[in-house]
Amino acid sequence: MAGATTTFRTKVVAPRRATAESPWIKGTLISILLLFFGFFLILPLYVVFHEAFSKGAGVFFKTFQDRATAHAIWLTLLTAAIAVPLNTVFGVAAAWALTRFQFRGRSLLISLIDLPLWVSPVIGGLIYVLVFGRQGWFGPWLFEHDIKIIFALPGIVLATTFVTFPFVARGLIPLMQAQGHKEEEAAMTLGANGWQIFWRVTVPKIKWGLLYGIILCNARAMGEFGAVSVVSGHIRNKTNTMPLHIEILYNEYQFAAAFAVASVLCVLALVTLIIKTYAEWQAERQLRAAAESVE
Amino acid sequence: MKRHLFSLLFAGSALAAPSNILNVSYDVTREFYQDSNAVFVQAYRAKHGLAPTIDLSNGGSSKQAGAVIAGLEADVVTMNQETDIDAIARAGLISPEWEKRLPDNSAPYTSPIVFLVRKGNPKAIKDWSDLVKPGVAVIVPNPKTSGNGRYSYLAAWAYARAQPAGSDATATEFIKALFKNVPLLETGGRAATNAFVQKEMGDVLLTFESEVLQITKVFSPDQFDVVYPPTSILAEAPVSVVDQVVDQRGTRDLATAYLEFLWSDEGQKLAVKHYFRPRSEKLLAENAAIFPAIQLAKVDEVFGGWAAAQKTHFADGGIFDQIYQGK
């Protein structure tokens, strides 16, 4: 086509701003979005709560008196209570190192942090079976010393930690990069030591981004199914987390109970979402403030 | 305190003379074992004064066997076919002689493969030959990962092989036609049942009589009909203690008592209650109304044992793989 000159008859319409779409396109896009939203997000959520109460509130509340259900909820909270702090410490350390220092292999490290998001969670679980299983690398030694990793709490925590590994670091790296380290340098010239700089200067600067990462990490930790399923062993009252327990109840034809537990998980997710939105909004403000101060 | 925390973290490792055992079982026994565990604990307490805790883990039988091999500390395994226990034995965790340690080839109950169809049997399914007709959707779990699937497959094969002019070639063709009618392969028996019952997929479900009777009598009465084909296969559900685990944990006596309980009068009656065919001839005769007599092929007789059946049909590259990949 190059060089060919073609004259198109163009109908001149009222000029519009380059960023505005015609109302027709706008309407279509928004209705597609809403339809998608309704079908894939709102409807399943409605079904979960509807099914949970399908046999009445009595059955709903009785579900939680069951020992296995109570244990599954406890185990899920315990797992999150170990995995999330671990990943918080790691995430802050990683973000700190990666934004404060320039070194060889830095971008490779940033990519590696994302690894758990690329691989299927089932693979994440299988890795630990291959490493810590009876036939695995450390299996014989562990079994000889009677230390249980997989099919016990440590395995569940490991698998959960693996899957939720990137969330805190990923939330912090862009924020800390944008903020720079002027304030820390100022603190240093005023005689603050490293610890003081971290707690008094850095943490207040990043707190909303950090909270956002922690919440996301926590939501994923409580909901993880695939990786935990591989390393759990599915022992009732011992190694069943909430998502695994939901599957068991469903397979035992206790549909109302399964959905009752599922609804608790949904409520946890919704609460998380609200806190997350607030934290995100605050983090964005912080980021904007950082960008403005640079200019 | 530190020591205490450590043992808490690696739960179960630092407890002396444990009075808890773990039963790792296949998919569709959860109701039976939950029930029989409670009765066993009562009986054991009456005799020995202390009440043990019985933990239970359910899943597709081969997946469960795999977990035991990878280190899931099962004191006893209760599977639905020898192959899975043999696999654990090959890994060195169970004595190769396990089958001879308990009566009836170590299988306390049996259950044949039968058909479950929708109420009124709209597709008029009466026998194996009806399953290969066009337009019949058959729900059966994956023979590679589930005992139900393997038994269903072998029952169909045995049927085709026993027809006039039947040969290995005609049986292969029959299985091929059968799996053409299978719209999805679930990994475990219970998942297949849920696909048929809950998601309303398919016209006929192939699974154990115990599962079928539980559905029709307990979970969803009046929605389905049971069809007994004239011939089927006898599924024997073997059990064993896991030698390495019970010796390490010091639970052999408890685990053995737990398994022997399954052959006791009470254990056999509980099997009947959950629609497993008891080994006790007397109980079987008394409950002939629940368990109609049908002609049942045995894996040992038709296929020369599970090891041979496994190798020919279900191993990687075996007949099932050839058929299913050609689908």
Side-chain angles (χ1 to χ4, degrees):
Chain A
M1 284 298 278
T5 49
T6 322
T7 325
F8 290 104
R9 272 174 56 131
T10 47
K11 202 167 87 187
V12 179
V13 290
R16 60 180 174 84
R17 272 180 294 155
T19 51
E21 291 296 344
S22 76
W24 189 78
I25 292 180
K26 209 150 84 180
T28 316
L29 282 177
I30 290 176
S31 31
I32 289 175
L33 181 73
L34 285 179
L35 218 69
F36 192 83
F37 214 72
F39 262 108
F40 290 94
L41 291 171
I42 309 292
L43 194 68
L45 211 58
Y46 167 76
V47 170
V48 167
F49 285 97
H50 178 81
E51 288 286 321
F53 285 100
S54 63
K55 294 231 171 106
V59 171
F60 179 85
F61 289 110
K62 231 183 113 203
T63 306
F64 300 100
Q65 285 164 15
D66 174 42
R67 189 174 146 235
T69 306
H71 186 274
I73 295 174
W74 183 81
L75 182 64
T76 301
L77 295 176
L78 179 68
T79 305
I82 302 172
V84 174
L86 276 180
N87 276 336
T88 305
V89 171
F90 161 78
V92 172
W96 173 278
L98 290 168
T99 54
R100 291 293 180 266
F101 308 108
Q102 293 292 331
F103 51 91
R104 200 194 269 267
R106 183 174 162 272
S107 44
L108 179 73
L109 210 60
I110 294 183
S111 316
L112 273 181
I113 288 176
D114 285 351
L115 184 76
L117 296 178
W118 305 341
V119 299
S120 153
V122 176
I123 310 289
L126 276 176
I127 294 167
Y128 293 109
V129 174
L130 292 178
V131 174
F132 297 116
R134 200 185 280 272
Q135 263 96 19
W137 289 354
F138 304 119
W141 186 87
L142 288 170
F143 276 87
E144 212 167 280
H145 293 80
D146 204 13
I147 297 171
K148 283 194 205 167
I149 304 284
I150 54 166
F151 307 122
L153 180 63
I156 295 173
V157 171
L158 271 176
T160 307
T161 309
F162 174 82
V163 172
T164 56
F165 195 65
F167 292 106
V168 173
R170 271 174 66 92
L172 286 182
I173 289 171
L175 178 69
M176 289 172 81
Q177 225 150 19
Q179 283 176 339
H181 34 85
K182 278 186 308 199
E183 288 88 347
E184 280 87 346
E185 282 164 4
M188 201 151 79
T189 59
L190 294 172
N193 64 31
W195 197 242
Q196 283 171 326
I197 294 174
F198 178 73
W199 282 110
R200 303 244 176 115
V201 180
T202 307
V203 169
K205 269 169 73 181
I206 61 169
K207 65 174 182 238
W208 289 110
L210 183 61
L211 185 64
Y212 171 65
I214 291 172
I215 292 162
L216 215 59
C217 180
N218 185 55
R220 185 65 203 271
M222 290 195 296
E224 178 52 29
F225 178 84
V228 173
S229 173
V230 177
V231 297
S232 133
H234 303 269
I235 310 167
R236 228 168 274 256
N237 295 320
K238 285 224 165 122
T239 62
N240 268 328
T241 58
M242 271 164 89
L244 302 185
H245 190 61
I246 292 168
E247 191 202 22
I248 285 193
L249 288 173
Y250 186 80
N251 277 343
E252 283 172 2
Y253 301 106
Q254 301 183 42
F255 300 116
F259 282 104
V261 181
S263 71
V264 171
L265 212 52
C266 283
V267 168
L268 286 174
L270 287 175
V271 170
T272 307
L273 194 72
I274 293 166
I275 306 174
K276 192 208 85 165
T277 313
Y278 183 70
E280 199 174 29
W281 177 64
Q282 290 286 354
E284 239 167 59
R285 252 181 33 166
Q286 228 169 33
L287 194 67
R288 245 199 328 270
E292 276 161 16
S293 76
V294 167
E295 284 157 16
Chain B
M1 187 61 197
K2 216 168 191 175
R3 174 78 196 157
H4 183 69
L5 272 179
F6 188 77
S7 66
L8 198 74
L9 194 61
F10 300 97
S13 59
L15 296 171
S19 65
N20 65 310
I21 54 171
L22 171 61
N23 175 2
V24 171
S25 192
Y26 59 103
D27 215 8
V28 299
T29 56
R30 34 191 106 224
E31 291 83 10
F32 169 63
Y33 279 113
Q34 271 176 21
D35 219 1
S36 90
N37 287 351
V39 178
F40 168 74
V41 168
Q42 290 279 326
Y44 194 86
R45 184 163 55 191
K47 211 164 151 194
H48 299 268
L50 88 164
T53 308
I54 316 291
D55 293 314
L56 184 57
S57 165
N58 293 100
S61 55
S62 300
K63 185 182 159 215
Q64 292 288 80
V68 172
I69 292 167
L72 179 57
E73 273 201 334
D75 299 274
V76 304
V77 285
T78 52
M79 295 296 177
N80 59 14
Q81 55 167 69
E82 293 164 35
T83 327
D84 295 314
I85 298 188
D86 278 339
I88 305 171
R90 268 200 305 282
L93 305 180
I94 295 179
S95 149
E97 301 289 299
W98 64 270
E99 214 177 351
K100 300 192 180 76
R101 294 193 292 203
L102 288 161
D104 305 309
N105 295 332
S106 286
Y109 52 82
T110 66
S111 198
I113 293 285
V114 299
F115 304 163
L116 185 68
V117 296
R118 311 225 171 259
K119 190 80 193 165
N121 198 357
K123 297 268 168 119
I125 294 158
K126 294 268 173 242
D127 200 352
W128 294 94
S129 53
D130 297 320
L131 301 181
V132 298
K133 287 186 177 151
V136 174
V138 182
I139 302 295
V140 58
N142 189 346
K144 299 277 278 190
T145 57
S146 126
N148 309 33
R150 279 191 277 264
Y151 277 116
S152 301
Y153 172 108
L154 293 180
W157 177 282
Y159 162 84
R161 193 74 181 69
Q163 296 309 300
S167 67
D168 283 357
T170 62
T172 308
E173 279 312 305
F174 184 79
I175 295 279
K176 201 169 185 171
L178 174 62
F179 276 88
K180 249 193 193 114
N181 281 347
V182 176
L184 86 166
L185 284 177
E186 293 280 11
T187 48
R190 197 41 78 77
T193 303
N194 274 342
F196 185 76
V197 172
Q198 197 62 14
K199 300 177 196 155
E200 297 189 8
M201 299 182 69
D203 303 306
V204 52
L205 170 73
L206 303 192
T207 192
F208 296 123
E209 180 187 46
S210 56
E211 179 84 344
V212 160
L213 291 178
Q214 262 195 61
I215 296 162
T216 51
K217 297 199 194 269
V218 183
F219 297 122
S220 338
D222 304 322
Q223 290 178 32
F224 304 99
D225 285 333
V226 185
V227 173
Y228 281 90
T231 63
S232 185
I233 201 156
L234 183 70
E236 299 177 288
V239 301
S240 176
V241 300
V242 181
D243 296 83
Q244 181 159 350
V245 174
V246 294
D247 288 343
Q248 197 175 1
R249 299 185 65 231
T251 47
R252 181 178 286 277
D253 290 346
L254 177 58
T256 308
Y258 176 72
L259 291 184
E260 280 168 352
F261 171 79
L262 298 171
W263 274 269
S264 71
D265 269 356
E266 262 175 314
Q268 292 280 293
K269 274 184 191 145
L270 279 171
V272 173
K273 186 182 157 203
H274 290 273
Y275 306 108
F276 293 107
R277 296 191 174 206
R279 286 296 191 175
S280 150
E281 295 286 342
K282 187 174 139 270
L283 272 177
L284 191 59
E286 281 171 17
N287 294 287
I290 307 177
F291 305 117
I294 55 174
Q295 199 192 329
L296 293 170
K298 283 193 166 176
V299 177
D300 284 349
E301 285 156 17
V302 182
F303 299 92
W306 264 110
Q310 180 74 22
K311 195 162 161 249
T312 319
H313 295 276
F314 309 118
D316 288 337
I319 294 177
F320 178 73
D321 274 355
Q322 295 164 24
I323 285 169
Y324 207 69
Q325 275 150 20
K327 187 185 165 182

